[in-house]
mmCIF file of all heavy atoms in Angstrom:
data_model
loop_
_atom_site.group_PDB
_atom_site.id
_atom_site.type_symbol
_atom_site.label_atom_id
_atom_site.label_comp_id
_atom_site.label_asym_id
_atom_site.label_seq_id
_atom_site.Cartn_x
_atom_site.Cartn_y
_atom_site.Cartn_z
ATOM 1 N N ALA A 5 112.297 94.056 125.757
ATOM 2 C CA ALA A 5 111.993 93.470 124.449
ATOM 3 C C ALA A 5 110.504 93.174 124.289
ATOM 4 O O ALA A 5 109.926 93.436 123.226
ATOM 5 C CB ALA A 5 112.811 92.188 124.258
ATOM 6 N N LEU A 6 109.864 92.657 125.333
ATOM 7 C CA LEU A 6 108.452 92.273 125.221
ATOM 8 C C LEU A 6 107.520 93.478 125.293
ATOM 9 O O LEU A 6 106.642 93.637 124.438
ATOM 10 C CB LEU A 6 108.100 91.262 126.313
ATOM 11 C CG LEU A 6 108.754 89.882 126.164
ATOM 12 C CD1 LEU A 6 108.448 89.008 127.369
ATOM 13 C CD2 LEU A 6 108.281 89.196 124.883
ATOM 14 N N LEU A 7 107.717 94.329 126.308
ATOM 15 C CA LEU A 7 106.854 95.517 126.408
ATOM 16 C C LEU A 7 107.042 96.424 125.197
ATOM 17 O O LEU A 7 106.068 96.881 124.585
ATOM 18 C CB LEU A 7 107.165 96.276 127.697
ATOM 19 C CG LEU A 7 106.678 95.656 129.005
ATOM 20 C CD1 LEU A 7 107.039 96.550 130.184
ATOM 21 C CD2 LEU A 7 105.173 95.408 128.976
ATOM 22 N N GLY A 8 108.302 96.679 124.860
ATOM 23 C CA GLY A 8 108.572 97.505 123.691
ATOM 24 C C GLY A 8 108.076 96.859 122.410
ATOM 25 O O GLY A 8 107.561 97.539 121.514
ATOM 26 N N GLY A 9 108.204 95.527 122.326
ATOM 27 C CA GLY A 9 107.770 94.815 121.126
ATOM 28 C C GLY A 9 106.276 94.918 120.902
ATOM 29 O O GLY A 9 105.817 95.253 119.798
ATOM 30 N N PHE A 10 105.486 94.648 121.938
ATOM 31 C CA PHE A 10 104.032 94.699 121.788
ATOM 32 C C PHE A 10 103.547 96.133 121.546
ATOM 33 O O PHE A 10 102.639 96.354 120.732
ATOM 34 C CB PHE A 10 103.352 94.111 123.021
ATOM 35 C CG PHE A 10 103.422 92.610 123.085
ATOM 36 C CD1 PHE A 10 104.085 91.970 124.113
ATOM 37 C CD2 PHE A 10 102.818 91.832 122.109
ATOM 38 C CE1 PHE A 10 104.163 90.588 124.165
ATOM 39 C CE2 PHE A 10 102.880 90.446 122.149
ATOM 40 C CZ PHE A 10 103.557 89.820 123.177
ATOM 41 N N ALA A 11 104.154 97.099 122.237
ATOM 42 C CA ALA A 11 103.755 98.493 122.034
ATOM 43 C C ALA A 11 104.104 98.964 120.618
ATOM 44 O O ALA A 11 103.301 99.641 119.957
ATOM 45 C CB ALA A 11 104.432 99.391 123.066
ATOM 46 N N THR A 12 105.281 98.586 120.147
ATOM 47 C CA THR A 12 105.689 98.951 118.788
ATOM 48 C C THR A 12 104.787 98.307 117.749
ATOM 49 O O THR A 12 104.425 98.930 116.743
ATOM 50 C CB THR A 12 107.155 98.548 118.533
ATOM 51 O OG1 THR A 12 107.993 99.150 119.510
ATOM 52 C CG2 THR A 12 107.615 98.975 117.148
ATOM 53 N N LEU A 13 104.415 97.045 117.990
ATOM 54 C CA LEU A 13 103.502 96.354 117.073
ATOM 55 C C LEU A 13 102.193 97.113 116.927
ATOM 56 O O LEU A 13 101.700 97.344 115.814
ATOM 57 C CB LEU A 13 103.222 94.937 117.585
ATOM 58 C CG LEU A 13 104.121 93.800 117.105
ATOM 59 C CD1 LEU A 13 103.602 92.477 117.642
ATOM 60 C CD2 LEU A 13 104.205 93.756 115.591
ATOM 61 N N MET A 14 101.594 97.490 118.060
ATOM 62 C CA MET A 14 100.299 98.158 118.020
ATOM 63 C C MET A 14 100.402 99.522 117.349
ATOM 64 O O MET A 14 99.605 99.851 116.457
ATOM 65 C CB MET A 14 99.752 98.307 119.442
ATOM 66 C CG MET A 14 99.322 97.002 120.072
ATOM 67 S SD MET A 14 98.105 96.094 119.069
ATOM 68 C CE MET A 14 96.763 97.268 118.985
ATOM 69 N N ILE A 15 101.384 100.320 117.759
ATOM 70 C CA ILE A 15 101.504 101.686 117.218
ATOM 71 C C ILE A 15 101.839 101.652 115.730
ATOM 72 O O ILE A 15 101.210 102.337 114.911
ATOM 73 C CB ILE A 15 102.564 102.468 118.004
ATOM 74 C CG1 ILE A 15 102.085 102.700 119.440
ATOM 75 C CG2 ILE A 15 102.871 103.806 117.320
ATOM 76 C CD1 ILE A 15 103.133 103.285 120.352
ATOM 77 N N SER A 16 102.823 100.844 115.362
ATOM 78 C CA SER A 16 103.280 100.817 113.966
ATOM 79 C C SER A 16 102.252 100.164 113.050
ATOM 80 O O SER A 16 102.088 100.583 111.900
ATOM 81 C CB SER A 16 104.623 100.084 113.872
ATOM 82 O OG SER A 16 105.608 100.742 114.629
ATOM 83 N N SER A 17 101.545 99.141 113.540
ATOM 84 C CA SER A 17 100.527 98.491 112.698
ATOM 85 C C SER A 17 99.342 99.427 112.472
ATOM 86 O O SER A 17 98.786 99.485 111.368
ATOM 87 C CB SER A 17 100.064 97.182 113.331
ATOM 88 O OG SER A 17 99.434 97.395 114.583
ATOM 89 N N MET A 18 98.957 100.182 113.500
ATOM 90 C CA MET A 18 97.873 101.157 113.313
ATOM 91 C C MET A 18 98.284 102.240 112.315
ATOM 92 O O MET A 18 97.478 102.653 111.473
ATOM 93 C CB MET A 18 97.487 101.771 114.657
ATOM 94 C CG MET A 18 96.675 100.852 115.551
ATOM 95 S SD MET A 18 95.976 101.671 117.008
ATOM 96 C CE MET A 18 97.467 101.948 117.969
ATOM 97 N N ALA A 19 99.543 102.668 112.417
ATOM 98 C CA ALA A 19 100.028 103.686 111.480
ATOM 99 C C ALA A 19 100.067 103.138 110.055
ATOM 100 O O ALA A 19 99.621 103.806 109.112
ATOM 101 C CB ALA A 19 101.413 104.165 111.899
ATOM 102 N N GLY A 20 100.595 101.921 109.872
ATOM 103 C CA GLY A 20 100.641 101.323 108.546
ATOM 104 C C GLY A 20 99.257 101.106 107.968
ATOM 105 O O GLY A 20 99.019 101.350 106.774
ATOM 106 N N TYR A 21 98.338 100.659 108.800
ATOM 107 C CA TYR A 21 96.944 100.462 108.370
ATOM 108 C C TYR A 21 96.326 101.796 107.960
ATOM 109 O O TYR A 21 95.685 101.906 106.913
ATOM 110 C CB TYR A 21 96.160 99.836 109.521
ATOM 111 C CG TYR A 21 94.683 99.642 109.251
ATOM 112 C CD1 TYR A 21 94.214 98.525 108.562
ATOM 113 C CD2 TYR A 21 93.747 100.576 109.701
ATOM 114 C CE1 TYR A 21 92.860 98.341 108.330
ATOM 115 C CE2 TYR A 21 92.397 100.407 109.473
ATOM 116 C CZ TYR A 21 91.956 99.286 108.788
ATOM 117 O OH TYR A 21 90.607 99.102 108.565
ATOM 118 N N GLY A 22 96.540 102.822 108.773
ATOM 119 C CA GLY A 22 95.970 104.130 108.468
ATOM 120 C C GLY A 22 96.527 104.732 107.191
ATOM 121 O O GLY A 22 95.780 105.309 106.391
ATOM 122 N N PHE A 23 97.830 104.610 106.985
ATOM 123 C CA PHE A 23 98.451 105.162 105.771
ATOM 124 C C PHE A 23 97.890 104.508 104.507
ATOM 125 O O PHE A 23 97.797 105.161 103.465
ATOM 126 C CB PHE A 23 99.962 104.967 105.817
ATOM 127 C CG PHE A 23 100.693 106.062 106.527
ATOM 128 C CD1 PHE A 23 101.509 105.790 107.613
ATOM 129 C CD2 PHE A 23 100.574 107.384 106.114
ATOM 130 C CE1 PHE A 23 102.187 106.802 108.279
ATOM 131 C CE2 PHE A 23 101.256 108.401 106.773
ATOM 132 C CZ PHE A 23 102.057 108.107 107.864
ATOM 133 N N GLU A 24 97.516 103.238 104.588
ATOM 134 C CA GLU A 24 97.025 102.529 103.412
ATOM 135 C C GLU A 24 95.529 102.699 103.213
ATOM 136 O O GLU A 24 95.048 102.813 102.079
ATOM 137 C CB GLU A 24 97.371 101.040 103.519
ATOM 138 C CG GLU A 24 96.959 100.205 102.323
ATOM 139 C CD GLU A 24 97.592 100.664 101.019
ATOM 140 O OE1 GLU A 24 98.701 101.237 101.061
ATOM 141 O OE2 GLU A 24 96.978 100.458 99.955
ATOM 142 N N VAL A 25 94.771 102.730 104.297
ATOM 143 C CA VAL A 25 93.309 102.711 104.200
ATOM 144 C C VAL A 25 92.714 104.103 104.020
ATOM 145 O O VAL A 25 91.784 104.299 103.239
ATOM 146 C CB VAL A 25 92.701 102.020 105.451
ATOM 147 C CG1 VAL A 25 91.184 102.168 105.471
ATOM 148 C CG2 VAL A 25 93.092 100.551 105.463
ATOM 149 N N PHE A 26 93.249 105.086 104.736
ATOM 150 C CA PHE A 26 92.668 106.431 104.711
ATOM 151 C C PHE A 26 93.420 107.319 103.728
ATOM 152 O O PHE A 26 94.652 107.370 103.743
ATOM 153 C CB PHE A 26 92.688 107.049 106.106
ATOM 154 C CG PHE A 26 91.959 106.228 107.128
ATOM 155 C CD1 PHE A 26 92.654 105.584 108.134
ATOM 156 C CD2 PHE A 26 90.583 106.081 107.061
ATOM 157 C CE1 PHE A 26 91.988 104.821 109.069
ATOM 158 C CE2 PHE A 26 89.906 105.317 107.989
ATOM 159 C CZ PHE A 26 90.604 104.682 109.003
ATOM 160 N N SER A 27 92.673 108.026 102.912
ATOM 161 C CA SER A 27 93.269 108.900 101.896
ATOM 162 C C SER A 27 93.161 110.364 102.321
ATOM 163 O O SER A 27 92.171 110.771 102.935
ATOM 164 C CB SER A 27 92.555 108.721 100.550
ATOM 165 O OG SER A 27 92.700 107.390 100.094
ATOM 166 N N SER A 28 94.182 111.122 101.992
ATOM 167 C CA SER A 28 94.163 112.562 102.208
ATOM 168 C C SER A 28 95.226 113.188 101.311
ATOM 169 O O SER A 28 96.104 112.489 100.783
ATOM 170 C CB SER A 28 94.438 112.902 103.680
ATOM 171 O OG SER A 28 95.776 112.613 104.018
ATOM 172 N N LYS A 29 95.162 114.496 101.170
ATOM 173 C CA LYS A 29 96.119 115.184 100.305
ATOM 174 C C LYS A 29 97.546 115.105 100.857
ATOM 175 O O LYS A 29 98.514 115.047 100.100
ATOM 176 C CB LYS A 29 95.705 116.646 100.137
ATOM 177 C CG LYS A 29 94.403 116.836 99.377
ATOM 178 C CD LYS A 29 94.058 118.308 99.234
ATOM 179 C CE LYS A 29 92.763 118.493 98.452
ATOM 180 N NZ LYS A 29 92.392 119.929 98.324
ATOM 181 N N ALA A 30 97.656 115.113 102.174
ATOM 182 C CA ALA A 30 98.985 115.156 102.798
ATOM 183 C C ALA A 30 99.524 113.770 103.140
ATOM 184 O O ALA A 30 100.634 113.656 103.652
ATOM 185 C CB ALA A 30 98.938 116.000 104.066
ATOM 186 N N ARG A 31 98.748 112.724 102.835
ATOM 187 C CA ARG A 31 99.144 111.385 103.269
ATOM 188 C C ARG A 31 100.515 110.985 102.738
ATOM 189 O O ARG A 31 101.393 110.576 103.514
ATOM 190 C CB ARG A 31 98.098 110.347 102.824
ATOM 191 C CG ARG A 31 98.437 108.929 103.264
ATOM 192 C CD ARG A 31 97.424 107.924 102.748
ATOM 193 N NE ARG A 31 97.514 107.758 101.312
ATOM 194 C CZ ARG A 31 96.836 106.831 100.627
ATOM 195 N NH1 ARG A 31 96.002 106.021 101.261
ATOM 196 N NH2 ARG A 31 96.965 106.725 99.318
ATOM 197 N N GLU A 32 100.724 111.093 101.454
ATOM 198 C CA GLU A 32 101.974 110.639 100.863
ATOM 199 C C GLU A 32 103.151 111.511 101.299
ATOM 200 O O GLU A 32 104.269 111.021 101.443
ATOM 201 C CB GLU A 32 101.870 110.608 99.340
ATOM 202 C CG GLU A 32 100.874 109.588 98.813
ATOM 203 C CD GLU A 32 101.175 108.181 99.312
ATOM 204 O OE1 GLU A 32 102.368 107.800 99.374
ATOM 205 O OE2 GLU A 32 100.220 107.458 99.663
ATOM 206 N N ARG A 33 102.899 112.796 101.526
ATOM 207 C CA ARG A 33 103.978 113.672 101.989
ATOM 208 C C ARG A 33 104.437 113.259 103.386
ATOM 209 O O ARG A 33 105.638 113.187 103.671
ATOM 210 C CB ARG A 33 103.501 115.123 102.002
ATOM 211 C CG ARG A 33 103.196 115.691 100.622
ATOM 212 C CD ARG A 33 102.655 117.104 100.736
ATOM 213 N NE ARG A 33 102.249 117.624 99.428
ATOM 214 C CZ ARG A 33 101.621 118.779 99.254
ATOM 215 N NH1 ARG A 33 101.352 119.546 100.308
ATOM 216 N NH2 ARG A 33 101.283 119.179 98.041
ATOM 217 N N VAL A 34 103.457 113.004 104.247
ATOM 218 C CA VAL A 34 103.792 112.584 105.609
ATOM 219 C C VAL A 34 104.496 111.228 105.579
ATOM 220 O O VAL A 34 105.499 111.018 106.278
ATOM 221 C CB VAL A 34 102.523 112.515 106.480
ATOM 222 C CG1 VAL A 34 102.843 111.934 107.853
ATOM 223 C CG2 VAL A 34 101.898 113.895 106.622
ATOM 224 N N TYR A 35 103.994 110.337 104.752
ATOM 225 C CA TYR A 35 104.580 108.995 104.668
ATOM 226 C C TYR A 35 106.008 109.060 104.125
ATOM 227 O O TYR A 35 106.907 108.394 104.649
ATOM 228 C CB TYR A 35 103.703 108.114 103.779
ATOM 229 C CG TYR A 35 104.179 106.692 103.660
ATOM 230 C CD1 TYR A 35 104.140 105.824 104.758
ATOM 231 C CD2 TYR A 35 104.657 106.195 102.448
ATOM 232 C CE1 TYR A 35 104.566 104.514 104.653
ATOM 233 C CE2 TYR A 35 105.089 104.894 102.334
ATOM 234 C CZ TYR A 35 105.034 104.061 103.433
ATOM 235 O OH TYR A 35 105.471 102.757 103.315
ATOM 236 N N ASN A 36 106.216 109.845 103.086
ATOM 237 C CA ASN A 36 107.567 109.984 102.534
ATOM 238 C C ASN A 36 108.518 110.632 103.541
ATOM 239 O O ASN A 36 109.695 110.270 103.634
ATOM 240 C CB ASN A 36 107.527 110.817 101.249
ATOM 241 C CG ASN A 36 106.843 110.080 100.107
ATOM 242 O OD1 ASN A 36 106.821 108.849 100.085
ATOM 243 N ND2 ASN A 36 106.263 110.827 99.177
ATOM 244 N N GLY A 37 108.001 111.598 104.295
ATOM 245 C CA GLY A 37 108.826 112.196 105.346
ATOM 246 C C GLY A 37 109.201 111.173 106.407
ATOM 247 O O GLY A 37 110.329 111.185 106.920
#
């Protein structure tokens, strides 16, 4: 729970931050997928 929790936090928060902050043509397609 702890190792998986902290690793999931870092990976998923970086992904969420990237999807919102960085723009690209394929961003919304990848996000919707």
Side-chain angles (χ1 to χ4, degrees):
L6 292 174
L7 286 181
F10 285 117
T12 304
L13 269 184
M14 290 305 300
I15 293 172
S16 299
S17 63
M18 285 190 289
Y21 177 83
F23 273 123
E24 182 59 28
V25 172
F26 302 111
S27 298
S28 69
K29 294 181 179 179
R31 181 183 69 173
E32 295 304 320
R33 294 177 185 173
V34 174
Y35 182 68
N36 291 334

